[in-house]
Amino acid sequence: RSTCWWPCIINGIEFYSIKIDCRVTSRFAHNVITSRAVNRANISKEVIFDVDLPKTAFITNFTMTIDGVTYPGNIKEKEVAKKQYEKAVSKGQTAGLVKASGRKTEKFTVSVNIAAASKVTFELTYEELLKRQFGKYEMFIKVKPKQLVKNFEVQVNIFEPQGIRELEAEGTFITNELSDVIKKSFSGKKGHVSFKPTLNQQRTCANCSTTLLDGDFTIKYDVERGKPNDLQIVNGYFVHFFAPTDLQNLPKNVVFVIDISGSMSGREIEQTREALLKILDDIKGDDYFNFILFGSVVYTWKDTLVKATAENLEEARKFVRAIHTEGATNLHGGLMRGIEMLNTAYEKNIVPQRSTSIIIMLTDGQPNVGLSDPQQIQESVKKAIQEKYPLYNLGFGYGVDYNFLEKLALENKGLARRIYPDSDSAIQLQGFYDEVSNPMLSDVELNYPENSVSDLTNNNFKHFYDGSEIVVAGRIVDNDLNSLTADVKAQGADNDVTFIAQGDVKEITEALQEQEYIFGDYTERLWAYLTIQQLLEKRIAATGDEKENLTAKALELSLKYKFVTPLTSMIVTKPEDYDNQAGLADKPIEAQRNPLKPCHLHTSQQPPILRKMNDVRLDLDGDPHFIISVPQKEDALCFNINENPGAVLNLIKDPVTGITVNGQLIGARRTSNEAKIQNTYFGKLGIANKHLDLKLTVTPEKITLQNGNEKSVFNWLDSINLQQEGLTLIINKEKNLVLSLGGGASFVVVLHQVWKKHPLHQDFLGLYVMDSHKLSEQTHGLLGQFFHPIDFNIVEIHPGSDPKKPDATMIVKNNELTVTRGWQKDYRKDTKHGLDIPCWFVHNSGAGLIDGVHTDYIVSSIF
């Protein structure tokens, strides 16, 4: 599934031409988005693109063409590319940075700084293997230009050596007038789709300046299925597509493990009931099933799996309609009950021995009853399943620990899927079930001659589902090989089955010569794509040396084949000197040095009064607490960050003023009996201004100020007022310090001291930001992103698990989040006791509120 999205008017920058060119060779899609933009302002401006791509897609290139000169992107390790980009932006140069902004690489961020009065052509390229579902390959293009575009065009060329059997193209925004603009044709091995509306055809009415182009443009196709195997050999690599037809369905056994904790109340449990009722309509008569519900206590519908007779299905519908929420989240207990039920069903011959079993779990929260440590749950579940049944985890909304669900699923031959809280959540749930509801084969193994191939991608699969496709790729060892034979072994409904596949080098070479637009190294790139994808998947559940080795292999291939993955970024910059372009993008920028002048130290002054309006403040008490004041709402938002001691988080980064603030976590001396996880605090803060070459390091023990090669160390017992051009540092004895850097924002660091012999806690720091409006529009970071206006709405307020703290739905950034009314401490005036501030608490480390996920803000060191 392939997705393209692009903004056309952002920050005053106009996009006047957009072309999407997609070339598909044997399911492997090579897509190029070309956008032409002009910045009519007299200052440079940065545009941040959020490019929504499927989690299976990798960006492979991003170039800029300025004044007829093309500047290509260079793939680098993420941190190296980031530093090079920041250098260019700080000098007002045109620069672009492409990086995967989430662990799942579902969203790619393209940051582009466009110089004043410049025209720029951006070309973004990405590749992916189109997945077959429900008997068709699908390419999905998000069309949302937000304005009339003079030149708007979509061109798709498809080449399939097996031959194209059907081809469809449609759009959710297509009117009767626009339907004739879609041109599609296919014959033999070739297919073509085009969509090129004129300006007038894009208008919502005759004289309107608004556009009809707002929705989904979808292309679906399938290939001829004369044989179950298609084995292609090109340039020393092979790819094997396996999708047999006319097979008998395997009987299946499904255990649904459903979270009914209090957080599922309201629309989530209603949509779950709706989805389960539709799924019951689709269960086949030979299937066996059961429901397990977990809140604080684990309930089962039946003691054992039951056959899907008409009587049992009707009884199940009555049970589903009566499902209600209660208690906390005993996730481990629910899963273990499901595994035990399947084991018993096989041991007592309740289900057919030649049947396939799956566990589907749905949860919206994190385990907090029974065994609740994620690592221990993973170990327990893996030991119990023993690779016998795939586990599919569906995470409802943003309150789930999705990384935990993903690890748990991948370790047990399954996968995780996020169910987005929206009006179609029930359809999402049912859609996932439809994907796995028709197993045709189990324990599928694709074998190749050992002396002929190497570096195979995954060639063992638990199930083959109707309408899907299995893909294996590898390297050919024998350069003189003219053909390759493979055999596929699997368990069918009645007996074991074997399929034979043979690939001929001459046959595929002749086929490829028919089309000029085919890129000849597609098999090698497809192999690299699959290998990287599978290494990254294995890396999720790995630890220690194994994780390091997987990371190293994935990084090496990402760099070699120029794929933007969670381990890499792509940087492109326009050198200052057009005549001497080579290497200048990497030239270090000279820092502006401003050494400390002699200054006077005298009695401390009280810190200035902090502004209440437009301030974003951070209060660190126990786990890191972030509080965002939203003056226009006369309210506040808050969230915690759950990370391990030692982690360093980027709080503020402003490439224009050069100010960066990072904080390092420390842990409590030990975990209390009541605590589920170890408390963490900020034990070190680093505040830097690279333009002034100034660095301030603050810990509960001391304050270190470094200016170039000069260093000054102060104690919290000191009372200091240090002033000079561009810098003011005030230390209020054992209370706080105030730092002002030039004409930018000021920072207050509060010292929190605890009893020296306290058995649990230790001294830590708090940070407050004054005059945040003095930072630039490009400021980001865990805190910095909230210096820009943020809007949200609170709806559906209802009782929560704590009678004193109601829950509600918050609509923010097109997300619907479950939030809780709570209190956080403000220590600006009273550093000992603090002042309670009401706020809406966003769970799961701010997921859905912050850009990306909180782990995106982890940096390597305090500076």
Side-chain angles (χ1 to χ4, degrees):
R1 188 176 170 93
S2 170
T3 308
C4 314
W5 184 86
W6 54 91
C8 292
I9 297 181
I10 288 185
N11 199 21
I13 296 171
E14 177 188 356
F15 283 77
Y16 57 89
S17 174
I18 296 171
K19 180 177 180 180
I20 304 97
D21 180 70
C22 304
R23 294 182 294 165
V24 182
T25 305
S26 295
R27 294 74 147 169
F28 195 58
H30 178 89
N31 309 299
V32 181
I33 303 172
T34 304
S35 300
R36 290 180 169 82
V38 57
N39 176 15
R40 303 189 186 280
N42 57 4
I43 58 172
S44 63
K45 290 191 174 184
E46 184 178 33
V47 177
I48 296 178
F49 296 78
D50 283 325
V51 184
D52 290 323
L53 302 175
K55 63 179 179 292
T56 54
F58 292 145
I59 286 178
T60 60
N61 198 18
F62 179 62
T63 65
M64 296 183 300
T65 301
I66 307 168
D67 299 331
V69 180
T70 298
Y71 303 96
N74 296 308
I75 189 80
K76 298 188 177 184
E77 286 188 69
K78 182 169 287 187
E79 196 61 30
V80 174
K82 186 178 178 183
K83 289 178 180 178
Q84 182 178 334
Y85 171 73
E86 288 168 352
K87 287 180 182 178
V89 170
S90 68
K91 300 178 71 175
Q93 289 178 271
T94 300
L97 176 67
V98 183
K99 63 178 181 178
S101 61
R103 283 188 176 184
K104 291 295 294 177
T105 67
E106 289 166 340
K107 184 180 289 294
F108 286 84
T109 300
V110 185
S111 303
V112 182
N113 199 60
I114 302 182
S118 289
K119 281 188 176 182
V120 184
T121 298
F122 305 108
E123 189 172 278
L124 179 67
T125 306
Y126 68 93
E127 295 176 343
E128 66 163 325
L129 179 65
L130 299 182
K131 186 178 180 181
R132 188 172 186 253
Q133 288 182 322
F134 309 118
K136 294 178 182 178
Y137 307 98
E138 182 177 287
M139 177 172 288
F140 176 84
I141 301 172
K142 192 73 173 177
V143 176
K144 199 176 181 70
K146 298 183 181 179
Q147 69 164 35
L148 298 173
V149 180
K150 183 179 179 181
N151 299 304
F152 181 89
E153 184 178 0
V154 177
Q155 295 287 345
V156 180
N157 289 294
I158 304 169
F159 180 79
E160 291 288 350
Q162 287 175 265
I164 297 175
R165 186 169 64 88
E166 58 179 317
L167 176 64
E168 305 170 9
E170 58 187 13
T172 58
F173 56 89
I174 297 298
T175 62
N176 291 334
E177 291 76 14
L178 278 177
S179 60
D180 293 336
V181 182
I182 300 177
K183 307 295 182 184
K184 61 179 181 178
S185 63
F186 68 96
S187 177
K189 302 179 177 68
K190 310 170 190 177
H192 178 74
V193 175
S194 69
F195 178 63
K196 190 177 180 181
T198 65
L199 267 177
N200 286 333
Q201 289 171 330
Q202 295 174 40
R203 299 181 192 275
T204 53
C205 64
N207 298 315
C208 293
S209 60
T210 51
T211 178
L212 285 168
L213 306 187
D214 185 1
D216 305 333
F217 189 70
T218 307
I219 297 160
K220 296 180 181 180
Y221 75 93
D222 198 20
V223 300
E224 296 289 353
R225 300 285 169 185
K227 52 185 179 180
N229 293 277
D230 181 32
L231 190 58
Q232 302 177 15
I233 308 169
V234 179
N235 294 342
Y237 291 82
F238 79 90
V239 58
H240 183 186
F241 300 102
F242 177 69
T245 57
D246 301 324
L247 295 174
Q248 182 180 345
N249 281 70
L250 277 170
K252 69 175 180 296
N253 316 305
V254 189
V255 176
F256 298 95
V257 183
I258 308 297
D259 183 352
I260 59 165
S261 61
S263 59
M264 284 282 291
S265 63
R267 191 164 72 169
E268 290 187 3
I269 199 67
E270 291 174 6
Q271 291 176 323
T272 300
R273 287 194 293 259
E274 180 186 345
L276 291 176
L277 288 171
K278 291 180 179 177
I279 287 170
L280 285 171
D281 292 339
D282 295 334
I283 288 183
K284 296 178 176 61
D286 291 336
D287 294 342
Y288 286 75
F289 71 103
N290 204 343
F291 295 102
I292 294 173
L293 312 179
F294 65 90
S296 297
V297 179
V298 177
Y299 304 95
T300 59
W301 171 50
K302 298 288 186 180
D303 292 335
T304 63
L305 288 164
V306 298
K307 195 170 184 179
T309 63
E311 182 181 356
N312 284 336
L313 287 171
E314 186 56 37
E315 187 178 345
R317 292 185 184 97
K318 294 178 181 178
F319 174 79
V320 168
R321 292 189 186 102
I323 292 176
H324 63 277
T325 58
E326 61 178 65
T329 310
N330 188 359
L331 182 150
H332 177 256
L335 275 179
M336 294 304 290
R337 185 75 61 86
I339 297 166
E340 292 164 6
M341 189 173 289
L342 282 172
N343 288 338
T344 301
Y346 280 103
E347 292 168 2
K348 296 186 176 181
N349 293 317
I350 296 173
V351 299
Q353 291 300 308
R354 193 176 282 275
S355 62
T356 183
S357 298
I358 60 176
I359 300 172
I360 299 177
M361 181 181 71
L362 171 68
T363 181
D364 79 328
Q366 303 182 35
N368 53 24
V369 172
L371 188 63
S372 57
D373 177 77
Q375 183 63 38
Q376 293 180 12
I377 293 175
Q378 287 171 227
E379 294 170 358
S380 175
V381 170
K382 185 176 182 180
K383 183 178 179 181
I385 287 184
Q386 296 180 347
E387 298 188 354
K388 291 182 289 187
Y389 324 118
L391 171 61
Y392 297 105
N393 291 331
L394 306 181
F396 208 132
Y398 299 99
V400 296
D401 184 346
Y402 189 80
N403 293 329
F404 160 64
L405 294 182
E406 187 175 45
K407 288 181 181 179
L408 190 62
L410 291 174
E411 284 186 335
N412 295 286
K413 304 291 184 179
L415 56 85
R417 180 78 57 83
R418 190 186 293 278
I419 302 299
Y420 294 93
D422 209 336
S423 58
D424 69 340
S425 295
I427 297 174
Q428 295 177 56
L429 290 168
Q430 185 188 4
F432 174 81
Y433 173 78
D434 290 343
E435 290 180 38
V436 298
S437 63
N438 292 305
M440 313 299 286
L441 298 171
S442 65
D443 298 321
V444 184
E445 184 177 350
L446 297 88
N447 299 301
Y448 309 88
E450 291 184 6
N451 297 330
S452 300
V453 301
S454 66
D455 300 317
L456 282 179
T457 60
N458 182 29
N459 64 328
N460 289 277
F461 301 85
K462 188 64 181 175
H463 293 134
F464 168 73
Y465 294 104
D466 189 27
S468 68
E469 183 173 67
I470 288 175
V471 183
V472 178
R475 193 195 304 263
I476 300 295
V477 175
D478 184 359
N479 293 329
D480 297 325
L481 188 72
N482 293 317
S483 64
L484 180 67
T485 301
D487 69 278
V488 183
K489 296 180 179 179
Q491 293 184 12
D494 297 323
N495 48 39
D496 293 347
V497 293
T498 300
F499 302 87
I500 303 297
Q502 185 161 358
D504 185 88
V505 175
K506 182 179 179 181
E507 179 182 343
I508 189 65
T509 301
E510 290 176 352
L512 292 176
Q513 288 175 347
E514 296 181 23
Q515 275 295 48
E516 295 180 358
Y517 59 75
I518 302 305
F519 45 106
D521 63 344
Y522 77 94
T523 48
E524 181 177 356
R525 294 194 64 79
L526 193 156
W527 166 82
Y529 166 94
L530 274 180
T531 302
I532 294 170
Q533 190 181 71
Q534 292 170 9
L535 287 170
L536 292 173
E537 194 173 86
K538 291 177 182 176
R539 177 177 173 266
I540 291 171
T543 58
D545 292 342
E546 182 188 5
K547 185 167 188 174
E548 288 186 12
N549 292 335
L550 291 169
T551 300
K553 291 178 182 177
L555 177 60
E556 180 184 3
L557 286 174
S558 298
L559 293 172
K560 179 178 179 180
Y561 289 95
K562 297 186 177 181
F563 285 132
V564 176
T565 69
L567 305 176
T568 57
S569 291
M570 184 172 289
I571 181 72
V572 54
T573 60
K574 169 190 166 187
E576 291 178 285
D577 185 353
Y578 277 47
D579 298 323
N580 184 18
Q581 296 165 4
L584 284 187
D586 293 312
K587 182 179 178 181
I589 295 175
E590 293 293 324
Q592 180 182 357
R593 182 153 300 192
N594 186 12
L596 279 172
K597 298 178 181 178
C599 57
H600 299 285
L601 303 180
H602 53 79
T603 307
S604 67
Q605 300 175 349
Q606 291 300 315
I609 297 175
L610 302 187
R611 294 181 36 156
K612 293 183 179 178
M613 302 297 287
N614 298 322
D615 278 346
V616 178
R617 72 173 189 78
L618 168 62
D619 161 30
L620 309 167
D621 182 21
D623 282 348
H625 300 315
F626 293 71
I627 302 181
I628 302 103
S629 299
V630 187
Q632 65 270 28
K633 295 285 187 179
E634 296 183 346
D635 210 338
L637 307 177
C638 51
F639 60 97
N640 294 350
I641 292 296
N642 301 313
E643 259 304 328
N644 296 323
V648 181
L649 300 172
N650 173 237
L651 306 177
I652 301 168
K653 173 164 283 189
D654 183 0
V656 176
T657 65
I659 292 175
T660 300
V661 182
N662 294 331
Q664 184 173 35
L665 301 179
I666 57 173
R669 290 191 172 96
R670 64 179 177 85
T671 305
S672 67
N673 294 331
E674 295 81 15
K676 299 295 182 184
I677 58 176
Q678 183 184 17
N679 282 349
T680 53
Y681 321 80
F682 276 96
K684 180 186 286 188
L685 292 170
I687 305 173
N689 186 321
K690 64 180 181 181
H691 296 335
L692 303 178
D693 200 15
L694 292 172
K695 294 180 180 179
L696 183 76
T697 306
V698 186
T699 69
E701 292 76 34
K702 63 182 180 180
I703 302 105
T704 304
L705 178 65
Q706 184 166 347
N707 182 284
N709 295 324
E710 299 183 23
K711 181 186 290 187
S712 301
V713 179
F714 307 104
N715 193 293
W716 278 104
L717 295 174
D718 299 330
S719 293
I720 293 175
N721 189 330
L722 183 154
Q723 299 186 39
Q724 69 138 62
E725 184 180 354
L727 169 71
T728 299
L729 175 63
I730 300 171
I731 300 177
N732 296 300
K733 182 178 179 181
E734 292 188 298
K735 288 186 178 181
N736 54 44
L737 68 81
V738 181
L739 175 69
S740 299
L741 296 173
S746 299
F747 306 92
V748 176
V749 178
V750 175
L751 173 65
H752 293 282
Q753 292 180 308
V754 301
W755 178 43
K756 297 302 180 186
K757 296 183 180 180
H758 197 290
L760 299 179
H761 305 300
Q762 55 180 317
D763 296 349
F764 61 98
L765 303 171
L767 174 70
Y768 301 84
V769 183
M770 299 185 297
D771 298 325
S772 58
H773 63 281
K774 293 183 178 179
L775 294 171
S776 80
E777 293 182 354
Q778 298 175 29
T779 303
H780 207 262
L782 268 174
L783 275 179
Q785 63 189 286
F786 297 109
F787 296 160
H788 316 301
I790 182 170
D791 191 24
F792 67 93
N793 288 303
I794 299 294
V795 297
E796 299 177 2
I797 299 176
H798 58 274
S801 55
D802 186 339
K804 297 180 181 179
K805 298 179 179 180
D807 286 347
T809 298
M810 182 173 74
I811 302 172
V812 60
K813 296 183 178 179
N814 294 322
N815 298 323
E816 293 188 13
L817 312 180
T818 298
V819 294
T820 302
R821 194 61 170 174
W823 303 83
Q824 298 283 26
K825 292 284 189 182
D826 182 341
Y827 289 96
R828 289 179 291 183
K829 295 181 179 180
D830 184 347
T831 59
K832 185 175 183 181
H833 302 290
L835 175 67
D836 285 327
I837 299 294
C839 63
W840 287 105
F841 183 82
V842 181
H843 302 274
N844 195 30
S845 294
L849 173 65
I850 63 174
D851 295 339
V853 293
H854 79 273
T855 51
D856 295 338
Y857 301 88
I858 295 177
V859 293
S860 58
S861 66
I862 202 68
F863 290 113

